[in-house]
Amino acid sequence: MHPNVERVARVLRERGAAGEIVELPEPVPTAKAAADQVNCEVGAIANSLIFDADGAPLLVLTSGAHRVDTAKVAALVGAEKVKRAKPEFVREATGQAIGGVAPVGHRAPVRTLVDVWLAKYDQVWAAGGIPHTVFPTSYDELLRITDGESADVGADE
């Protein structure tokens, strides 16, 4: 098992998460690809997106059906500017690569916002530490295991 997946699995067990990490046959670089492989709606995919909030990492767990409104997120976290993080920033903050960033198992705690849109689903799927692993969870469990804050992060469409 990849070290990132081992670390994520350990943290999930320690925090009492119900789901187990599943290895998928193909990498899932997009919410659509993940939804197709686990047979769920795109909205039930919890995208783990790392942003640079005035130089600090910020994890936004958003529904695969949403785009993040960075101005709205900046206001929520009290940052002057929130922007998509570069791959090196993501790896440094989490120890994981873009496309496989899990909600937990990072090098250090990362402030986390959890999209309220995910509450619409009984089960959501989140990344397991590398691009072809996921695990089933729920909105409430994501809030608990990440010490996350419930937030409306989606762009109005």
Side-chain angles (χ1 to χ4, degrees):
M1 188 182 298
H2 190 281
N4 284 355
V5 177
E6 286 178 357
R7 184 172 31 258
V8 171
R10 184 183 70 249
V11 173
L12 290 174
R13 282 191 306 274
E14 289 169 354
R15 296 185 183 174
E20 300 270 331
I21 294 176
V22 176
E23 187 169 338
L24 301 172
E26 301 288 326
V28 287
T30 66
K32 170 86 170 88
D36 288 348
Q37 286 197 48
V38 299
N39 196 29
C40 72
E41 291 181 34
V42 170
I45 299 297
N47 283 336
S48 298
L49 305 174
I50 295 288
F51 290 88
D52 176 337
D54 294 340
L58 174 68
L59 174 59
V60 177
L61 297 171
T62 188
S63 166
H66 264 165
R67 286 186 182 262
V68 174
D69 181 331
T70 55
K72 185 186 286 187
V73 169
L76 287 169
V77 301
E80 197 168 301
K81 184 167 184 158
V82 169
K83 62 184 179 184
R84 287 296 291 264
K86 295 185 186 297
E88 306 79 36
F89 185 93
V90 172
R91 189 175 291 278
E92 172 131 347
T94 67
Q96 302 165 5
I98 290 175
V101 175
V104 298
H106 309 134
R107 290 184 170 153
V110 176
R111 183 174 183 184
T112 303
L113 301 180
V114 183
D115 187 357
V116 295
W117 189 272
L118 292 167
K120 296 179 178 189
Y121 300 93
D122 292 333
Q123 182 178 67
V124 297
W125 291 85
I130 59 175
H132 58 280
T133 58
V134 294
F135 68 95
T137 186
S138 68
Y139 175 74
D140 289 335
E141 187 174 79
L142 279 174
L143 286 169
R144 182 177 58 76
I145 66 175
T146 63
D147 292 324
E149 304 164 47
S150 179
D152 178 4
V153 300
D156 295 326
E157 306 203 13

